[in-house]
Amino acid sequence: MKVSYQWLAEYVDLSGITPHELAEKLTRSGIEVDAVESRNAGVSNCVIGYVKERSKHPDADRLNVCIVDVGQEEDLQIVCGAPNVAQGQKVVVAMVGAHLPGDLKIKRSKLRGVESQGMICSAKELGLNDKLLAKDQQEGIMVLPEDAEVGMDAVSYLGMDDYVLELGLTPNRSDCLSMLGVAYEVAAIFGKEVILPAADVVENGEQNPIQVSIDAQEESYQYHGRHFTNAQITSSPQWMKNRLMAAGMRPINNVVDVTNYVLLEYGQPLHAFDAGKVAERKIVVRMAHEGEELVTLDDQTRKLDTQMLLITDPEKGLAIAGVMGGANSEITDETKEIILEAAWFTPQTVRSTARKLGMRTEGCVRWEKGVDQLRVKEAGERAAALIQQLSGASVSKGVASAVVKEGTPAVVSVTLEKINQHLGTSLTADEVSPIFDRLQFPYEGTNEKWTVTVPTRRGDITLPEDLVEEVARLYGYDKIPTSLPTGETTQGQLTADQKLRRAIRHHLIGAGLNEAISYALVHPDRVEDVAGLHQGETKPVALLMPMSEDHSVLRTSLLPSLLETVAYNKNRQQHDVAIFELGRVFLSRQEVLTELPEERLYVGGALTGQWMPQNWMGAKQPVDFYQVKGVVESLLAGLGIQDVQYKQVSELAGMHPGRTAEVWVKDQRLGYLGQVHPGTEKAYDLSETYVFQLDIAALGEAAKEVGHYSQLPKFPAVTRDLALVVNRDVHAGTLEATIREAAGDLLESLTLFDVYMGERIAQDKKSMAFSLVFRHSEHTLQDEEVQQVTAAIVEALKHTAGAELRM
C-alpha cells in the first residue's frame, strides 16, 4: 500500500510531523513502513507557463520558437522541438537556473542562432513515471489543463512536493489497504481525530430507474446502484491525478478515476457501467453458466464456470464480480448515463475466481483480505458525490439496493489482569482505557474488565489476545520492560525413544551404511513383495485420491522402498550399495477403514555388490549372509541387547528359504535378516541382495541403557578351546546356549571359530570348535577352577546334544 503524505493529511492533522517521523511511529506500532520516497526526483525552479505565440524556427524545420507567459513582467522566448507544442497551451517551463532529474541545469542558450530563455518540459524530463500518466501526456511536452494557474510553482501543481510511504502490511491488517484505515491508525498513534470525507449528493426529482436483484445470496450479501444522467466524460482534475499516481495508479477519465480514488480512500472496490448498454436498466447478481464467456476491460475473452460470480443484465454478463468489468459496458467518451456499483462479495468467491482466471487487480487484493461490510453504501455515496462534482452529472433519486445481510461488529472482552500477564507490565485502567478511546473502539466495563465492540473495519480483532496486542502496540513496545524468565527450569535432554533412534542411526552410519529417506506410499503390487514384521495380521491402506498409482498405498514394510532405492542406484551404475532407513509403516486389520491405522517405527537395511572393493592388497569381498548378520549383531551389541538367537526360517514372503533367519531375544521376535528371494530380485532387476528389518519398539524393550559403561577387568583371563563332534542337524546356537548355562558367571565370551565336515569325521557328524574366555571379577582364576567349569560344560553338552570331545 502506497500512502500519500499530503492526501493523508486531509484526514488527520499532521502538523509538526514529518513524513520520516510518521514512518518511524508507524513502524514502531506494528505497521512496517518499507520506504519513504519523495515524488520530486530533483526538480526546482519550474513554473506553469502559457504559450502565447508559436512560430517556426527560421533555420530548423523541427524547432519552434515560442513566446511564453510565466507570470513575470516580461514573456520568455523559448525554442522547443516538441511536435505537439501549440499556441494557447498551459505547459511546464523550466526557468534559467532550474534543475531537472539527471543533474541537468537549464542555462540561457542559443539554438541555431535564436536565443532560448528556458525549456518547455515533457513528463519524462520532470522525472514522472510514463506508465502512470494519461495517454495524452505520455508523448511530447506535458500539456496541462486550462485551469492551471500561470506562474504557479509546477512542483506544487503536479504534487511533486509530496512524499509516499510504502507500507509492508501483514495479511491481518487489511484495514490499512485504505487511506481512511491508515488515518485511523495514525490518529490512534498520535491521539488525533479522524476527519471523514464529505459525501453530499444532490439528487434530482427523477426516480432511480435501476432494478437490482441477488440470485447468488451465499456469494453476495449487498448490492447498491446509483443512477446518473448527463455526465461529461473528461480528464480528471490534476489534484486527483496526483493522488492516483502517488498510489501507483494511472488516471483514465473522471468517472473511472473516481472509482479508483474511493477504492484507495475507503478500501471499497467500486465499478461504473455505461447505463445505456445495460438492458432494461436491470442488474442481476448470479453465478456464471458453464462455458459462459465475457470479454473483460483488458480485451481478453474469459471463459467462466459455475463457481464464478457474475454481474449481469437480463441479456448478458457485464462484469466478473470483484475482479474486472466487461468491455461491453465500459465507460467511454460518449457515455452520458452511468450506473455506479457498490457491492459486497464473499472473499473466497473473489479469490477463487481471480486464481482460476490468473487475474490480480487492486480490487481483488482488497476483496481477498476482507472489505468492511458496514461501509459499502457509504463508499458508494462518496463516489457518487465526486462523480457529480467532476462530471456535472445529474443524480437520480434514491439508491437501488438488494441486501441479504449486513456485517455485525465483534464483541470481545479482556481483563486488566490478562493484559498485564501477557505483556509483563503493571498498567492501570487509567492507562488502558485511553488506548481504546484513541483506537475509537467503543467499550463498556469497570476498571478491571472491558467489553469492546470492535468496528467492522478491524476484522482482524476477534480474541482477547488481539486486544492485548492493540494495547501493546499503542502503549509502545519499547516501553514494555525486559525481564528474565522466573521459576524452576529443567535441563533439556533426549527422550528414551530419541536416544534409541539416534544410537541406531549413528551405529549403522558408522558401520558403513548410508541413510535413505523414501516415500511412505508405494505401488500396490509392491506391498506383498517382501514380508513386513506384522504382515500376516495387516491389510494395506489405499488412498482415496492418489497422485499416481506408484504412490497409492501406505507401506507395511520398509523393504520395498529400500529395494527400489537399490534398483535406482544400480540403474545408474552404482552397483555397491549399503543403505538403511529409519521410518514408519502403517498397519491396519480392516478392509474399509473406520479407525486410523497403527503407525510403527522400523529400521531396515539393504546391501548388495561388494562390501569391500578389490585392491592391490587382496581379493574383493562381496556382501553375503554373514555380512548382513554381522551388521545386525554389532547393532544389537551396541544397544546392549544380549542372549540374541538367530532361528532359520524357510517360509517368509520375498525371502530366500535357505538364507533367512529371524532374530529373537528370549520370547521376543525383533525382526529378520537374510537374502532376498531370487524371484523378488529378478522382479526388481537386482543381483544378489541381502536385507534386514527390525521393530524399533521391540528393540527398545530389549535394549539396555544406551552408552552403558562396564569397568575394565583387573584380573587376567583364561582361554580354553573345545572341539566338539555332534550330529549335523545340531545348531551352533543350541551348543552356545548350553555352554553359557553350564559355565555360569565365569564365562566372559564365547566364539565359534571352526566348523569341519570331512574325511576323519563320520558322514552324519560335524566338528564345531569354540574358544571360551573365563575371568573372575575378584581374583585370578586357578587351573582347578577352570578344569571344573570345563568338565561341567562337556558333561552338559554330552547330555543335551550328544556331543563328544574331538581328540
Side-chain angles (χ1 to χ4, degrees), residues 733-744:
T734 302
L735 300 180
E736 287 186 3
T738 302
I739 293 172
R740 291 185 184 280
E741 182 177 358

Side-chain angles (χ1 to χ4, degrees), residues 232-398:
Q232 298 296 319
I233 308 302
T234 61
S235 179
S236 296
Q238 191 63 42
W239 63 266
M240 179 171 282
K241 290 180 181 179
N242 293 340
R243 292 178 179 180
L244 292 176
M245 288 191 291
M249 286 188 172
R250 182 171 65 88
I252 298 173
N253 59 52
N254 52 354
V255 174
V256 175
D257 289 352
V258 165
T259 62
N260 287 330
Y261 184 87
V262 176
L263 163 74
L264 295 169
E265 188 174 48
Y266 277 82
Q268 169 66 50
L270 305 169
H271 189 67
F273 301 96
D274 186 329
K277 300 174 183 178
V278 178
E280 302 177 22
R281 307 299 189 270
K282 186 175 182 180
I283 298 290
V284 180
V285 184
R286 62 168 172 82
M287 304 307 293
H289 304 310
E290 188 64 42
E292 190 171 1
E293 294 183 347
L294 180 68
V295 179
T296 48
L297 290 172
D298 56 359
D299 294 325
Q300 298 294 316
T301 300
R302 310 289 180 176
K303 190 172 182 179
L304 312 178
D305 62 35
T306 57
Q307 301 301 313
M308 298 179 182
L309 191 62
L310 201 60
I311 311 301
T312 71
D313 64 18
E315 299 176 357
K316 60 187 178 300
L318 300 174
I320 303 172
V323 180
M324 187 176 286
N328 58 6
S329 57
E330 179 182 7
I331 299 294
T332 65
D333 293 344
E334 289 73 34
T335 299
K336 298 296 181 184
E337 186 181 357
I338 300 169
I339 295 175
L340 176 66
E341 165 195 288
W344 198 92
F345 312 119
T346 58
Q348 53 268 36
T349 300
V350 177
R351 183 186 304 115
S352 173
T353 301
R355 185 182 296 115
K356 289 178 181 179
L357 297 178
M359 304 173 72
R360 185 82 172 169
T361 62
E362 289 289 340
C364 290
V365 171
R366 286 157 178 81
W367 282 122
E368 290 175 2
K369 295 184 180 350
V371 172
D372 188 351
Q373 291 190 54
L374 293 187
R375 276 194 163 162
V376 176
K377 193 172 182 180
E378 179 182 335
E381 291 298 279
R382 167 64 169 163
L386 287 172
I387 290 175
Q388 184 177 44
Q389 173 188 340
L390 301 184
S391 71
S394 179
V395 184
S396 299
K397 183 179 179 181

Side-chain angles (χ1 to χ4, degrees), residues 370-606:
V371 172
D372 188 351
Q373 291 190 54
L374 293 187
R375 276 194 163 162
V376 176
K377 193 172 182 180
E378 179 182 335
E381 291 298 279
R382 167 64 169 163
L386 287 172
I387 290 175
Q388 184 177 44
Q389 173 188 340
L390 301 184
S391 71
S394 179
V395 184
S396 299
K397 183 179 179 181
V399 179
S401 298
V403 179
V404 177
K405 59 181 176 181
E406 293 184 347
T408 55
V411 178
V412 184
S413 296
V414 69
T415 63
L416 182 63
E417 179 184 4
K418 186 178 186 69
I419 293 172
N420 285 322
Q421 181 182 5
H422 277 65
L423 301 183
T425 55
S426 301
L427 296 175
T428 65
D430 291 338
E431 292 175 294
V432 174
S433 293
I435 292 177
F436 293 140
D437 293 331
R438 288 158 54 190
L439 288 165
Q440 299 191 36
F441 287 3
Y443 61 87
E444 296 178 352
T446 65
N447 289 337
E448 299 297 328
K449 181 178 180 180
W450 294 265
T451 300
V452 178
T453 302
V454 183
T456 50
R457 59 184 168 82
R458 290 299 303 273
D460 59 308
I461 298 178
T462 57
L463 302 171
E465 288 74 13
D466 297 328
L467 290 177
V468 174
E469 181 182 0
E470 293 300 298
V471 171
R473 289 193 315 108
L474 294 186
Y475 174 69
Y477 291 128
D478 52 339
K479 295 181 181 178
I480 297 176
T482 57
S483 59
L484 294 174
T486 59
E488 296 181 2
T489 59
T490 57
Q491 181 180 357
Q493 62 179 353
L494 299 176
T495 64
D497 288 341
Q498 289 172 329
K499 289 180 181 179
L500 178 63
R501 292 197 299 269
R502 180 170 291 187
I504 292 172
R505 181 176 284 110
H506 286 179
H507 186 90
L508 292 177
I509 291 174
L513 279 68
N514 295 307
E515 184 172 9
I517 300 175
S518 58
Y519 288 114
L521 297 168
V522 296
H523 193 286
D525 295 343
R526 298 300 192 193
V527 174
E528 305 295 337
D529 282 349
V530 186
L533 300 182
H534 306 82
Q535 195 82 348
E537 310 166 11
T538 62
K539 301 182 185 302
V541 178
L543 299 189
L544 288 177
M545 295 183 290
M547 296 290 289
S548 68
E549 189 177 11
D550 289 338
H551 302 94
S552 59
V553 176
L554 288 171
R555 64 187 178 189
T556 57
S557 169
L558 296 180
L559 296 186
S561 301
L562 290 172
L563 293 180
E564 286 186 354
T565 302
V566 173
Y568 181 90
N569 280 269
K570 178 177 177 293
N571 293 336
R572 286 153 181 80
Q573 307 305 314
Q574 298 297 321
H575 299 284
D576 303 332
V577 180
I579 58 174
F580 77 94
E581 180 171 5
L582 198 66
R584 296 190 180 277
V585 298
F586 304 85
L587 312 176
S588 175
R589 295 172 175 80
Q590 298 178 318
E591 292 283 354
V592 179
L593 288 183
T594 59
E595 58 185 22
L596 292 175
E598 178 187 4
E599 295 186 31
R600 296 187 72 92
L601 190 64
Y602 287 179
V603 59

